[in-house]
Amino acid sequence: MPTSPTTPLPTLVPTTQLSIDLADRRYDILIGCGLLDQPHTVACGAASSEALIVTNTTVAPLYAHRLQRVLAAHHARVNTIALPDGEAHKDWDTLNLVFDRLLGGGYDRRTVLYALGGGVVGDMTGFAAACYMRGVAYVQVPTTLLAQVDSSVGGKTAINHPAGKNMIGAFHQPLRVIADLDTLDTLPDREISAGLAEVIKYGPIADDEFLGWIEQHIDALRARDKSALAHAVRRSCEIKAHVVAQDERDAGLRAILNFGHTFGHAIEAGLGFGTWLHGEAVGCGMGMAADLSVRCGLIDVAYAQRIKALIARAGLPTRGPSLGAARYLDLMRIDKKSESGQIRFVLIDAPGQASLHGADDALVAEVIEANCG
Ligand code: NAD
Ligand code: GLY
């Protein structure tokens, strides 16, 4: 068919297939364009099983009909539930809407849930799948940059508790992850920036060369250049898959993926979930954790400044809200990495290397005073 001058040409980004190797199973992560329209790529689980697409009220009108159409050839029944949108709805009441729908519709144990959306939908769908009838299968179809580079991979599922972020949850690995880069076309700019926080994270903790690549391509990433996005998603997923394969249940190494998250989770909980985006809080938190790494004598100021400069270039906040040091410290004690009330932080030991550290409250308070308000 001839192409009119106004019809954009499809972007030629080859599909990448990565796998994540766990102790007892492996699954694929597919990254590419146009994947949502490929039945053999998307459909999973037993033929003639039933499927429920779990999405939200923003993503449903954009993509649910396409996914529903593609899945209809594989599953005996395909329905969609659209949850209320937002971090503030990552809670029991919203999760119960999924269980009400599953039980009300007579869905059995062979049912496959498809998480179509960002990290909030992905985390809640995964948790619903972990719990429903003691466990059913699910597929991650991430539609935000943040979900494509991080939350859809690795099987951490959760809801929030008013006292703390992701405090109620389970490990439950998906059958497959399908990251269709074309879905990022409709994402607001602020959400692209939020996703870039988790992309930047992988540099200081695991791959200093990747940090250099992000510095060179940050403008292209913000402009949604598909080749740049494809590389960023692929390299992020490779690093995450490598870490999770070594420590699926977060007993040690996996904690490095939480760089910036101790400060970030305190910002999210302290302001009320949804006030700052998760990626914004993590971006700001990474700057604070880099500063703490300097004050602990682990890295030089120049490396911390390099990280902060990149966070700013990504369009993310570099100063935290003024909650007060005491409130930050209280909030940070409610963290899954804390042990016997001692807060533990992921700090940078050297460019591309990180590990867990304790730190004196006085030193942490200095970081808060210097970086907030
Ligand atoms: P989100 O799920 O709230 O999505 C961001 C916004 O973008 C929402 O309003 C959503 O409706 C909208 N949206 C999604 N896809 C869209 C599209 N293609 N076009 C237009 N709008 C779209 O936020 P997020 O940043 O994707 O995820 C953050 C969540 O992920 C947090 O709850 C965080 O705790 C969690 N998380 C989990 C892990 C993990 O390992 N499980 C890792 C990182 C983050
Ligand atoms: N995002 C942190 C983890 O998956 O462990």
Side-chain angles (χ1 to χ4, degrees), residues 5-6 39 64 123 125 174 187 201 226 236 250 268 333 336 345 369:
T6 51
D123 280 13
T125 308
L187 206 56
K201 165 182 89 177
K226 281 283 162 60
S236 300
D250 211 0
E268 288 188 83
R333 270 184 248 287
K336 292 186 285 313
F345 297 89
E369 298 301 336

Side-chain angles (χ1 to χ4, degrees), residues 248-259:
E248 182 184 351
R249 296 264 162 169
D250 211 0
L253 176 71
R254 187 167 177 169
I256 65 169
L257 299 172
N258 258 292
F259 176 52

Side-chain angles (χ1 to χ4, degrees), residues 89 91-98 100 159:
H89 296 286
D91 60 9
W92 279 118
D93 287 347
T94 310
L95 192 69
N96 260 328
L97 297 175
V98 182
D100 291 348
I159 55 170

Side-chain angles (χ1 to χ4, degrees), residues 56 58-59 62-63 85 87 90 118-120 123 143-144 146-147 150-151 156 165-166 183 186-188 191 198 240 278:
N56 70 25
T58 304
V59 179
L62 296 170
Y63 302 110
D85 187 4
E87 186 75 40
K90 192 177 169 183
V120 170
D123 280 13
T143 63
T144 63
L146 187 141
D150 192 351
S151 62
K156 275 191 182 174
K165 176 89 179 157
N166 293 335
T183 60
T186 52
L187 206 56
E191 299 290 349
E198 301 279 19
K240 181 149 188 186
H278 175 70

